[in-house]
């Protein structure tokens, strides 16, 4: 297994995000997941991959869990506190490719991260296929992408 086969999903917290993680697990030899300790235990147990469960608002937990992974998929929910947490975790990580998934528009600070693709979606439409494709390609275009 090469390093490119390693992906971490950060903060999957609903059934749509769980489906994305399940599909990523089928195309990756090393799938890791960082889950909030505030989620239901049954939900956390149902997610595939090697799990780390902790304080989602602690960027050091996230950056430590992502150590050695090639790609990070960050699921931003309606908790606006996660923006700063994710930014700090990404800056401290060794990730080579970041996919930031959100229904909110990006900030300039987020878009300044050179190895980040920001995927803005509406109700998860067409998102799964886009993430699977971006995660599996040898090279991708970074920056803002509106998923319609």
């Amino acid at each position: 297994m090469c390093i490119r086969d390693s992906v971490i999903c950060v903060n999957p917290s609903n059934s749509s995000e769980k489906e994305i993680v399940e599909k990523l697990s089928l195309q990756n030899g090393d799938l890791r997941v960082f889950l909030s300790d505030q989620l239901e235990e049954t939900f956390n147990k149902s997610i595939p991959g090697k799990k780390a469960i902790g304080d989602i608002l602690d960027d050091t937990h996230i950056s430590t869990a992502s150590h050695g992974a090639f790609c990070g998929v960050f699921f931003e929910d309606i908790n606006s506190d996660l923006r700063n947490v994710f930014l700090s975790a990404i800056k401290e990580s060794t990730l080579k490719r970041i996919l930031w998934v959100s229904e909110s528009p990006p900030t300039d600070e987020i878009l300044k991260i050179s190895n980040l693709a920001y995927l803005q979606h509406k109700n998860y439409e067409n998102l799964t296929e886009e993430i699977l494709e971006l995660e599996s390609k040898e090279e991708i275009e970074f920056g803002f992408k509106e998923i319609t």
Side-chain angles (χ1 to χ4, degrees):
M1 172 182 31
C2 73
I3 185 81
R4 280 206 17 78
D5 292 334
S6 180
V7 65
I8 183 164
C9 296
V10 178
N11 195 43
S13 57
N14 61 48
S15 60
S16 295
E17 293 166 353
K18 177 184 172 187
E19 180 183 328
I20 292 168
V21 174
E22 287 170 342
K23 291 191 175 173
L24 280 168
S25 75
L26 300 175
Q27 74 181 31
N28 283 283
D30 180 14
L31 176 73
R32 306 172 197 182
V33 186
F34 188 87
L35 297 158
S36 171
D37 57 6
Q38 299 301 306
L39 293 172
E40 292 287 327
E41 186 178 347
T42 54
F43 179 82
N44 284 347
K45 284 184 175 181
S46 72
I47 299 283
K50 297 173 192 162
K51 298 176 198 86
I53 299 172
D55 183 356
I56 197 67
L57 297 177
D58 186 336
D59 59 283
T60 61
H61 288 187
I62 298 168
S63 59
T64 300
S66 69
H67 183 75
F70 177 81
C71 179
V73 181
F74 287 74
F75 294 100
E76 181 184 22
D77 60 19
I78 57 172
N79 182 351
S80 61
D81 294 340
L82 284 179
R83 287 228 156 164
N84 289 329
V85 173
F86 283 3
L87 281 166
S88 295
I90 288 166
K91 288 175 183 172
E92 294 299 317
S93 78
T94 57
L95 295 167
K96 304 296 184 226
R97 177 178 299 170
I98 297 122
L99 306 178
W100 188 311
V101 179
S102 180
E103 290 188 89
S104 302
T107 62
D108 289 340
E109 187 177 8
I110 294 169
L111 294 178
K112 285 180 184 172
I113 299 171
S114 63
N115 60 336
L116 184 142
Y118 191 93
L119 309 177
Q120 185 178 356
H121 65 90
K122 289 186 174 72
N123 300 318
Y124 298 91
E125 289 179 33
N126 303 313
L127 184 62
T128 302
E129 297 78 16
E130 188 70 31
I131 290 173
L132 292 173
E133 183 178 337
L134 288 172
E135 190 281 325
S136 67
K137 282 186 169 181
E138 195 67 36
E139 292 185 21
I140 67 168
E141 285 186 36
F142 296 108
F144 176 75
K145 219 174 171 166
E146 188 170 13
I147 311 301
T148 55

